[in-house]
């Protein structure tokens, strides 16, 4: 427990520290080298496959050439003989040294039999060109092989019916990928791509950012709790259990504060990047009633991000104080009404955790952080700094938080578990001389918690609340710092990160394990908001009810209810989960883990009913066949493992293994008849498998162009080719999901965006509706069973967004590629790209 608490303290302290630029650059270079190695391996495998195809094709070409022109047989024999003689000539040259000259003489006699060399050379060139023409008229070797096999018995046939118009190529990182056009599309060039008629509206946000942020939970007079996660500031009515969302930030929100009028809110974000375009950090001041942005502070001024913000109180909130995340942690004061900078100064190179105005004097500002408390005085646009003196008291590693008492003293909570009372001391002229000035010193030390004091909260009447790290305690103190009451929050929620007072009795508590608790000292606390703790990748929706499952690097597997907007249950596994899928019967779910192991969980008992291991590398996809009789497990060892499923998803037996990919499996889908699989790999390869025939690789991909798929999650394929932007590097799209009604496809990209496209979407530069909200790469998306909602999960932002599908997309299928028009709106209006 000590080590975990220390790591929490260190993580909290370093959240605002400078980034390890060199390590980041090395990681980027390493990733680029790994990508290049993957591409080289795939190119080599592709070349070897083409060589094998050539070897299989040559006899068929010879047979076809003989059928077309019998004289070609003699030419081929002469060419082969000439090649053999040439090699013999080379051999004779090396053997001549040893006195062996018979092979050279034999070559000379054979060449004389050909007659006129010049005429024979022209004849060979002509026949070679004719043979080459047979190859170039076919769009691919695979189709030519199919053509030759089918036409082997018809000597009069010279050209196949397959033309270049029946396939198109797309390029990813310079690698061509052939897409075969389905038979029902007669003229590919005439297809028109339009945005789908359906739109998305943010319905619910699951999660809270407590792991590395502080002072980010407040309670409004409207009955709403205000907090943030990812790029969204959430206003959650704790009694009505409804949410509203402020969504004007372009990257992760990092800090939050409430204006003295209890209406205006200021929120600061970190810097971001969108497709190599930098997004500048700023502070938004907005109205919590209307969600309208009133002021944008510091756009183009701040670097990296905003660490802390605070409104002044003595002048009714006329000024806003900001600490940014640069190395110098610039301290600046802004006019809230004009949006102009009033003053600025470098604060310190150490991490800064909190800033606030003196409630009775807006010219006095306090900052605290790693090993320091600074008292600032602002006069005529200039700052004067005085450092708090620890004197005889032990200097703590971190000053985590502070508040002002009713008497005007400053109370700080530190990493040693103490509450320190600071006050002004008169100038010590006797010791320091005539020019000595007043200082800020510790007047009193109060032992409060075991481990860090993460938060302090003032109550009406001068009472004080403190929240502990290691001991997870909330203690109520009297005005003279005598302990009155205490309680301990459950261990599974982590340490106390921040406290918000509701009515003097009821409290809201934000925790380091991304939960918000509601309760009192008497009745205890229950969670009203919960979320994951680390990066998420696994997402699956139930086939018949409104629930979904998530798993991630925090080793948690969570089942959520989309109607009640709550967590039904959560279990912790030994390894972290990366993928999941519900069995179509709906009673069990399979979860793929990071070690090659996968488990089957009973949804009612939460117990493991089956457990298997395939390889020793991470699993990337789990997918049941439409009838639930077969399970496909895609692994990073390049194989797809196939299992027969019986006893309603509780018994599994290995059926076979799909072997043919030259890189790790990324996505796979079953055909509607449950006999075939389409799969994608890390080297941008599309392969098809006949599972019923013993996991056989279908080498002629042309034969699969008209096959219908029960789901569509493969990011590479003709029907979703239009979702790729020009110049994509193959990793820009992490996941996609077609709706069950087959009218739209949702895309999760690497730039924190969700796109909604028309389905099918086979043409480049297809328009889409674009939605923002995540503050990290979007790792997965999935529609609910009725297509009423879309779920999206973020990577490092640990956030789940639930989107309501608005418009005419509720379950009908689309015939062909009929044009659609946008008739519904969402709030706020998404961008259309």
């Amino acid at each position: 427990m000590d080590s975990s608490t220390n790591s929490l303290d260190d993580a909290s302290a370093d959240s605002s520290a400078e980034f390890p630029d060199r390590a980041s650059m090395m990681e980027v270079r390493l990733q680029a080298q790994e990508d290049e190695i993957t591409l080289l391996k795939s190119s080599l495998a592709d070349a070897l496959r083409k060589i094998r195809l050539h070897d299989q094709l040559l006899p068929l070409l010879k047979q076809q050439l003989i059928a077309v022109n019998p004289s070609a047989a003699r030419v081929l024999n002469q060419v082969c003989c000439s090649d053999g003689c040439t090699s013999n000539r080379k051999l004779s040259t090396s053997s001549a040294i040893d006195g062996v000259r018979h092979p050279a003489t034999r070559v000379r006699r054979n060449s004389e039999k050909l007659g006129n060399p010049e005429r024979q050379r022209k004849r060979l060139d002509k026949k070679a060109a004719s043979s080459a023409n047979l190859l170039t008229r076919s769009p691919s070797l695979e189709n030519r092989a199919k053509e030759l096999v089918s036409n082997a018995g018809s000597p009069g046939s010279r050209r196949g019916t397959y033309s270049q118009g029946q396939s198109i190529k797309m390029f990813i990182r310079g690698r061509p990928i052939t897409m075969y056009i389905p038979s029902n599309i007669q003229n590919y060039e005439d297809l028109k791509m339009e945005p789908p008629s359906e739109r998305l509206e943010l319905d619910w946000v699951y999660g809270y950012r407590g792991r590395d942020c502080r002072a980010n939970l407040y309670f409004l007079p409207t009955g709403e709790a205000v907090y943030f996660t990812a790029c969204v500031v959430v206003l959650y009515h704790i009694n009505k259990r409804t949410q509203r969302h402020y969504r004007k930030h372009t990257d992760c929100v990092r800090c939050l504060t409430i204006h003295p009028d209890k209406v205006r809110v200021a929120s600061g974000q970190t810097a971001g990047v969108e497709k190599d375009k930098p997004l500048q950090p700023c502070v938004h001041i907005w109205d919590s009633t209307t969600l309208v942005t009133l002021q944008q502070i510091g756009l183009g001024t701040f670097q990296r991000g905003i660490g802390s913000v605070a409104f002044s109180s003595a002048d009714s909130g006329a000024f806003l104080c900001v600490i940014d995340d640069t190395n110098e942690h610039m301290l600046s004061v802004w006019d809230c009404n004009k949006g102009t900078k009033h003053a600025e100064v470098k604060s310190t190179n150490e991490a800064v955790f909190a800033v606030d105005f003196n409630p009775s004097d807006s010219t006095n500002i306090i900052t605290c952080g790693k090993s320091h408390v600074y008292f600032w005085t602002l006069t005529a646009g200039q700052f004067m700094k005085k450092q708090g003196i620890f004197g005889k008291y032990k200097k703590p590693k971190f000053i985590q938080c502070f508040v002002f008492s009713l008497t005007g003293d400053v109370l700080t909570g530190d990493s040693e578990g103490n509450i320190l009372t600071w006050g002004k001391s008169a100038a010590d002229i006797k010791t320091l001389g005539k020019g000595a000035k007043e200082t800020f010193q510790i007047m009193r030390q109060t032992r409060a918690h075991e481990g860090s004091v993460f938060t302090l909260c003032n109550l009406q009447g001068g009472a004080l609340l403190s929240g502990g790290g290691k001991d997870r305690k909330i203690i109520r103190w009297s005005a003279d710092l005598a302990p009155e009451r205490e309680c301990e929050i459950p261990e599974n929620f982590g340490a106390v990160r921040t406290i918000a007072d509701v009515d003097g009795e009821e409290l809201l508590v934000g925790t380091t394990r991304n939960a918000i608790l509601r309760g009192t000292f008497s009745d205890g606390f229950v969670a009203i908001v919960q979320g994951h703790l680390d990066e998420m990748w696994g997402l699956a929706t139930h086939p018949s009810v409104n629930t979904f499952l998530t798993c991630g690097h925090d080793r948690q597997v969570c089942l959520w209810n989309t109607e009640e907007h709550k967590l039904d249950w959560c279990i912790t596994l030994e390894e972290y989960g990366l993928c999941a899928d519900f069995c179509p019967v709906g009673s069990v779910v399979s979860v793929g883990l990071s070690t090659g192991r996968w488990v089957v969980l009973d949804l009612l008992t939460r117990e493991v009913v089956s457990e298997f291991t395939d390889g020793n590398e991470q699993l990337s996809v789990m997918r049941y066949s439409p009838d639930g009789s077969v399970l496909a497990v895609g692994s990073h060892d390049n194989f797809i493992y196939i299992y027969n499923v019986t006893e309603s998803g509780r018994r599994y037996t290995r059926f076979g293994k799909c072997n043919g990919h030259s890189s790790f499996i990324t996505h796979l889908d079953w055909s509607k008849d449950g006999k075939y699989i389409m799969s994608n790999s890390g080297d941008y390869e599309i392969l098809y498998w006949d599972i019923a025939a013993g996991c056989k690789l279908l080498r002629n991909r042309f034969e699969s162009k008209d096959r219908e798929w029960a789901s569509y999650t493969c990011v590479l394929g003709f029907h979703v080719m239009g979702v790729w932007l020009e110049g994509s590097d193959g990793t820009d799209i992490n996941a996609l999901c077609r709706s069950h009604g087959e009218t739209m496809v949702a895309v999760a990209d690497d730039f924190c965006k969700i796109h909604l496209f028309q389905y099918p979407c086979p043409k480049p530069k297809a328009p889409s509706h674009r939605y923002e909200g995540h503050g990290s790469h979007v790792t997965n998306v999935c529609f609910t069973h009725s297509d009423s909602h879309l779920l999206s999960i973020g990577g490092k932002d640990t956030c789940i967004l639930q989107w309501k599908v608005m418009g005419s997309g509720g379950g009908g299928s689309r015939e062909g590629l009929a044009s659609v028009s946008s008739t519904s709106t969402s709030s706020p209006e998404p961008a259309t790209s």
Side-chain angles (χ1 to χ4, degrees), residues 532 549-551 555-559 569-571 573 591 601:
H532 277 271
L549 183 135
T550 57
C551 56
R555 299 186 294 115
Q556 291 188 160
V557 177
C558 301
L559 186 71
W569 54 257
C570 176
I571 63 171
L573 301 177
V591 180
L601 302 174

Side-chain angles (χ1 to χ4, degrees), residues 504-812:
E505 278 294 322
E506 191 172 25
L507 306 175
L508 298 178
V509 181
T511 76
T512 56
R513 291 180 65 85
N514 294 350
I516 297 178
L517 313 181
R518 179 186 182 184
T520 64
F521 283 98
S522 303
D523 301 330
F525 292 85
V526 295
I528 59 173
V529 175
Q530 289 178 265
H532 277 271
L533 312 175
D534 205 344
E535 189 168 356
M536 291 180 289
W537 282 91
L539 172 66
T541 54
H542 194 280
S544 58
V545 297
N546 292 319
T547 59
F548 67 96
L549 183 135
T550 57
C551 56
H553 289 192
D554 56 4
R555 299 186 294 115
Q556 291 188 160
V557 177
C558 301
L559 186 71
W560 308 83
N561 189 308
T562 60
E563 290 182 338
E564 298 182 11
H565 307 122
K566 70 181 183 67
L567 178 66
D568 281 345
W569 54 257
C570 176
I571 63 171
T572 302
L573 301 177
E574 296 177 1
E575 303 106 29
Y576 59 82
L578 293 170
C579 52
D581 194 30
F582 285 92
C583 183
V585 297
S587 59
V588 297
V589 62
S590 297
V591 180
L593 307 178
S594 58
T595 58
R597 192 166 71 97
W598 55 278
V599 296
V600 182
L601 302 174
D602 186 293
L603 294 178
L604 293 178
T605 65
R606 312 175 200 175
E607 295 179 351
V608 176
V609 297
S610 291
E611 179 179 345
F612 294 87
T613 300
D614 290 312
N616 56 6
E617 297 193 43
Q618 69 184 47
L619 303 180
S620 49
V621 56
M622 311 285 291
R623 189 79 66 219
Y624 284 94
S625 61
D627 61 358
S629 63
V630 187
L631 173 67
V633 181
S635 171
H636 266 228
D637 64 6
N638 304 358
F639 298 130
I640 301 174
Y641 300 91
I642 306 298
Y643 284 82
N644 283 324
V645 184
T646 55
E647 299 180 11
S648 300
R650 297 173 183 272
R651 183 177 176 84
Y652 296 79
T653 53
R654 172 80 76 84
F655 172 75
K657 180 172 68 173
C658 299
N659 180 8
H661 275 292
S662 54
S663 185
F664 57 89
I665 312 302
T666 58
H667 308 84
L668 67 85
D669 292 291
W670 284 92
S671 61
K672 289 186 176 180
D673 58 13
K675 296 180 179 179
Y676 300 93
I677 281 179
M678 169 176 59
S679 58
N680 291 169
S681 60
D683 56 353
Y684 325 129
E685 192 174 41
I686 310 172
L687 294 184
Y688 299 89
W689 312 86
D690 188 341
I691 303 303
C695 304
K696 178 184 177 182
L697 173 63
L698 301 177
R699 298 190 178 277
N700 186 4
R701 294 191 293 118
F702 176 79
E703 294 178 347
S704 299
K705 63 186 178 67
D706 292 327
R707 193 159 284 128
E708 295 185 347
W709 302 100
S711 62
Y712 214 116
T713 61
C714 286
V715 297
L716 295 174
F718 173 80
H719 296 85
V720 295
M721 191 173 61
V723 307
W724 289 90
L725 297 177
E726 189 173 356
S728 297
D729 71 351
T731 62
D732 290 347
I733 293 178
N734 295 314
L736 61 79
C737 181
R738 183 191 68 190
S739 64
H740 297 86
E742 302 185 17
T743 61
M744 53 187 165
V745 58
V747 175
D749 72 16
D750 234 12
F751 308 102
C752 316
K753 305 295 187 297
I754 298 163
H755 300 262
L756 196 65
F757 289 89
Q758 165 189 303
Y759 180 86
C761 184
K763 295 194 71 173
K765 301 180 181 180
S768 68
H769 301 309
R770 186 182 68 186
Y771 300 90
E772 301 176 347
H774 284 287
S776 177
H777 53 291
V778 187
T779 56
N780 215 334
V781 287
C782 198
F783 285 95
T784 56
H785 71 98
S786 61
D787 290 340
S788 62
H789 292 84
L790 175 75
L791 284 309
S792 63
I793 59 176
K796 292 297 184 181
D797 65 16
T798 70
C799 177
I800 306 170
L801 300 183
Q802 178 175 312
W803 306 84
K804 187 176 181 180
V805 178
M806 311 293 292
S808 59

